[in-house]
């Protein structure tokens, strides 16, 4: 008889690869939610977060290195033998971090530089839409102020004007009259959002927005949930635009018919279009949609999960997130099931007083450790830092409270109770998140 049965040696072989070290790039609520999900998976031996926040500090090793220096990052990954890297935010993706790490034989989850133009260049995406008949707002691309102004004299209002590159949610103007449009065009070409060779002018679509997510390994596409975020700072969706004040999932708009339309008219031709220019889409893809009378229109793509949508959606995931990431890196997503809890998830973001304008930094948050969260409640950190075991607010969006329950109203009530017990006077939040699906 052999010394080891073949079954035993299989177990042994598997165990060699059993425990993994995973690194996550980013410092927001999205990254804390990803870290938190991974930390519950036995196979994950060690987590690193670059640079992370006070929340990730509890479950991962926070590493503060210059993320613009890919070499430094690579050296750390190699030295510490990190098995898999997850890229949270768009900037490193658009800068080509995936291509760079893959050249170094490092496993990485996220789209490459060419594919990341879907978010990095609005004009790239618009041209793709045009080529493949993907429904989107009618548009024109203008290379200079004079041509743009000429067009803006003759067009109908409201009209939407956008800078081309990454502008962190800014760089989009919705103009009701020619005078506003003139200011927008001048600001864009004067370089308010970086050097501008182009401005995009597009038709205003009147409908309701929805965030739609998929995950792909380059071959297979799987759905990754829907959500509705609240971008405006004040209740009733009024005031300035922000990174996101809260969200709920699923979106109230989604149904089977709309789902099919989104996949066949928007997602599939996009993935196919990228293939035709010689690239595969690996990673999360976030379609920002406007639903107009039951028809989906693409407003924008993001090449990552949304924030706060990620915090809202991930707690609903039943399947093993590590397996999902690995199957994407190994082009085996078709073999991996993605199963969800059939619950209503809601997220409220607590922001520093003053956000999105000036706010104070390094404001102490006491009581966090005293909050008692139930089994379906989560508190994800965003702009926080741990200094001498104390938690300080250092960013505009500070904490995300999430609750999963049978209905949105209950989720929201539970969250507001938690926030009240935190009793932090350094911040504020919207009490009306998901008002369109909560009838009181
Ligand atoms: P974006 O950064 O492209 O997501 O644009 C910011 C916000 O502007 C979106 O979330 C929409 O609310 C709005 N928006 C952008 N494009 C349009 C459009 N063509 N029609 C109506 N609203 C738009
Ligand atoms: N929630 C909007 C975004 O992540 O861009």
């Amino acid at each position: 008889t052999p010394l080891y049965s073949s079954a035993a040696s299989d177990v042994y072989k598997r165990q060699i690869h059993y425990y993994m070290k995973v690194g996550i790039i980013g410092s927001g609520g999205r990254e804390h939610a990803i870290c938190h999900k991974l930390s519950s998976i036995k196979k994950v031996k060690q987590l690193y977060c670059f640079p992370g926040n006070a929340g990730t500090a509890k479950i991962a090793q926070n590493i503060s290195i210059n993320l613009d220096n890919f070499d430094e990052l690579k050296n750390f990954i190699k030295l510490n033998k990190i098995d898999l890297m997850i890229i949270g935010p768009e900037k490193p993706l658009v800068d080509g971090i995936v291509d760079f790490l893959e050249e170094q034989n490092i496993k990485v989850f996220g789209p490459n530089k060419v594919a990341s133009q879907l978010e990095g260049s609005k004009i790239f995406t618009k041209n793709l839409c045009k080529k493949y008949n993907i429904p989107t707002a009618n548009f024109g691309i203008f290379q200079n102020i004079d041509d743009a102004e000429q067009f803006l004299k003759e067009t109908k209002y409201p009209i939407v004007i956008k800078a081309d590159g990454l502008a962190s949610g800014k760089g989009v103007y919705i103009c009701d009259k020619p005078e506003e449009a003139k200011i927008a065009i001048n600001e864009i070409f004067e370089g308010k959002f970086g050097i501008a060779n182009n401005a995009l002018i597009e038709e205003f679509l009147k409908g309701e927005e929805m965030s739609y997510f998929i995950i792909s390994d380059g071959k297979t596409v799987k759905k990754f949930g829907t959500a509705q975020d609240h971008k405006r700072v004040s209740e009733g969706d009024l005031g300035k635009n922000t990174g996101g004040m809260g969200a709920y999932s699923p979106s109230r708009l989604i149904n089977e018919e709309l789902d099919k339309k989104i996949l066949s008219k928007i997602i599939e031709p996009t993935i196919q279009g990228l293939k035709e220019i010689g690239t595969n889409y690996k990673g999360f893809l976030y379609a920002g949609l406007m639903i107009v009378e039951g028809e989906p229109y693409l407003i924008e793509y993001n090449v990552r999960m949304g924030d706060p949508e990620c915090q809202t959606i991930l707690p609903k995931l039943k399947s093993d997130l590590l397996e999902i990431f690995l199957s994407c890196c190994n082009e085996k997503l078709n073999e991996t099931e993605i199963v969800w809890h059939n619950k209503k998830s809601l997220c409220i973001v607590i922001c520093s007083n003053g956000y999105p304008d000036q706010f104070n930094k390094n404001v102490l948050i006491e009581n966090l450790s005293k909050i008692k969260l139930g089994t379906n409640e989560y508190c994800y950190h965003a702009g926080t830092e741990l200094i001498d075991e104390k938690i300080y607010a250092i960013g505009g969006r500070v904490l995300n409270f999430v609750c999963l329950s049978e209905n949105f109203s209950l989720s929201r009530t539970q969250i507001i109770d938690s926030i009240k017990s935190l009793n932090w006077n350094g911040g504020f939040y919207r009490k009306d998140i998901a008002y369109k699906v909560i009838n009181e």
Side-chain angles (χ1 to χ4, degrees):
T1 46
L3 205 47
Y4 300 105
S5 73
S6 72
S9 79
D10 275 355
V11 169
Y12 175 70
K13 259 190 257 161
R14 259 187 280 134
Q15 277 180 344
I16 297 181
H17 301 285
Y18 200 74
Y19 294 109
M20 294 191 74
K21 293 178 166 188
V22 184
I24 294 127
I25 292 193
S27 63
R30 171 181 49 212
E31 287 76 21
H32 187 196
I34 293 173
C35 251
H36 177 256
K37 200 78 188 168
L38 290 175
S39 72
S40 69
I41 294 167
K42 268 207 215 108
K43 210 169 174 174
V44 176
K45 177 171 109 184
Q46 170 79 52
L47 284 165
Y48 298 90
C49 214
F50 304 86
N53 56 38
T56 65
K58 295 254 156 88
I59 47 178
Q61 200 175 325
N62 280 354
I63 309 294
S64 83
I65 60 176
N66 177 7
L67 287 175
D68 290 328
N69 188 338
F70 290 174
D71 264 318
E72 207 178 309
L73 180 68
K74 173 206 73 185
N75 291 340
F76 186 92
I77 294 168
K78 294 262 182 190
L79 190 69
N80 292 281
K81 300 195 168 60
I82 299 178
D83 300 288
L84 171 68
M85 289 296 295
I86 314 295
I87 317 298
E90 63 277 14
K91 179 153 187 309
L93 293 168
V94 172
D95 289 345
I97 197 165
V98 169
D99 312 59
F100 175 85
L101 295 179
E102 281 180 345
E103 273 164 32
Q104 310 287 332
N105 292 317
I106 293 166
K107 210 171 258 207
V108 51
F109 176 82
N112 63 27
K113 188 170 184 173
V114 170
S116 295
Q117 289 178 92
L118 286 177
E119 179 163 2
S121 168
K122 292 189 162 68
I123 291 173
F124 174 86
T125 301
K126 279 296 201 186
N127 285 332
L128 191 94
C129 288
K130 200 162 155 188
K131 191 162 165 200
Y132 296 94
N133 274 322
I134 296 170
T136 188
N138 289 321
F139 68 102
I141 296 164
F142 294 85
Q143 264 98 31
N144 61 63
I145 294 186
D146 292 345
D147 290 352
E149 284 189 344
Q150 191 54 42
F151 174 84
L152 289 167
K153 272 183 205 157
E154 296 152 8
T155 190
K156 280 192 289 185
Y157 286 81
I159 193 117
V160 183
I161 305 182
K162 300 182 179 181
D164 183 32
L166 280 188
S168 315
K170 299 174 192 91
V172 175
Y173 297 81
I174 299 184
C175 306
D176 289 316
K177 22 184 201 292
E179 302 83 81
E180 289 171 21
K182 197 174 164 149
I183 294 172
I185 280 296
N186 279 287
E187 288 189 350
I188 288 172
F189 280 109
E190 278 161 11
K192 186 164 177 187
F193 310 99
I195 298 166
N197 298 314
N198 298 289
L200 193 68
I201 302 183
E202 64 180 51
E203 164 199 22
F204 177 79
L205 294 174
K206 196 168 164 36
E208 194 169 325
E209 281 179 80
M210 173 167 104
S211 304
Y212 189 92
F213 300 90
I214 62 102
I215 188 167
S216 178
D217 62 354
K219 288 181 174 166
T220 303
V221 164
K222 296 223 163 160
K223 295 188 278 183
F224 212 80
T226 61
Q228 170 69 61
D229 77 341
H230 292 267
K231 288 201 178 103
R232 304 295 197 92
V233 69
S234 303
E235 288 178 11
D237 292 325
L238 300 171
K240 289 195 173 164
N241 239 359
T242 70
M245 300 295 294
Y248 64 93
S249 171
S251 157
R252 70 166 182 159
L253 300 170
I254 196 66
N255 57 55
E256 216 172 297
E257 193 191 343
L258 179 61
D259 205 52
K260 277 197 190 128
K261 283 183 192 165
I262 295 167
L263 287 170
S264 66
K265 293 185 174 184
I266 297 178
I267 305 293
E268 283 159 16
T270 300
I271 302 289
Q272 187 55 32
L274 289 175
K275 278 211 179 100
E276 284 172 26
I277 58 167
T279 203
N280 273 339
Y281 196 94
K282 174 186 59 179
F284 288 120
L285 180 63
Y286 161 178
L289 304 173
M290 189 71 85
I291 312 302
V292 186
E293 290 163 8
E295 291 298 320
Y297 288 81
L298 181 71
I299 296 264
E300 61 160 1
Y301 270 131
N302 297 305
V303 295
R304 51 177 174 78
M305 271 309 279
D307 184 329
E309 290 97 324
C310 185
Q311 299 88 298
T312 316
I313 290 174
L314 268 193
K316 292 175 62 176
L317 180 68
K318 263 193 198 170
S319 306
D320 181 319
L321 184 59
L322 180 71
E323 286 305 320
I324 295 172
F325 285 148
L326 288 173
S327 71
C328 282
C329 294
N330 300 330
E331 298 188 347
K332 292 232 157 63
L333 186 59
N334 61 332
E335 295 172 15
T336 305
E337 252 202 309
I338 304 184
V339 186
W340 302 93
H341 291 285
N342 185 20
K343 290 230 158 68
K344 310 287 189 207
S345 181
L346 192 139
C347 168
I348 299 181
V349 181
I350 305 186
C351 300
S352 293
N353 291 331
Y355 175 80
D357 296 320
Q358 292 285 57
F359 55 84
N360 289 332
K361 289 192 178 157
N362 303 314
V363 181
L364 183 66
I365 311 172
E366 289 169 301
N367 300 333
L368 252 180
S369 57
K370 289 183 202 144
I371 289 187
K372 293 207 170 43
L373 294 171
T375 39
N376 282 318
E377 292 177 86
Y378 306 87
C379 171
Y380 299 121
H381 289 232
T384 65
E385 192 173 18
L386 192 65
I387 304 167
D388 296 334
E389 293 307 306
K390 289 197 172 105
I391 294 168
Y392 293 85
I394 59 161
R397 292 192 293 166
V398 181
L399 295 166
N400 307 262
F401 281 85
V402 181
C403 181
L404 245 63
S405 78
E406 300 314 314
N407 67 69
F408 287 121
S409 176
L410 185 61
S411 292
R412 190 168 75 182
T413 305
Q414 278 181 231
I415 291 172
I416 291 177
D417 283 348
S418 297
I419 297 178
K420 281 186 182 151
S421 70
L422 178 66
N423 193 23
W424 183 51
N425 61 16
F428 71 99
Y429 62 98
R430 274 181 63 173
K431 296 174 194 67
D432 71 336
I433 299 302
Y435 66 85
K436 283 184 180 161
V437 286
I438 299 178
N439 307 308
E440 285 153 329

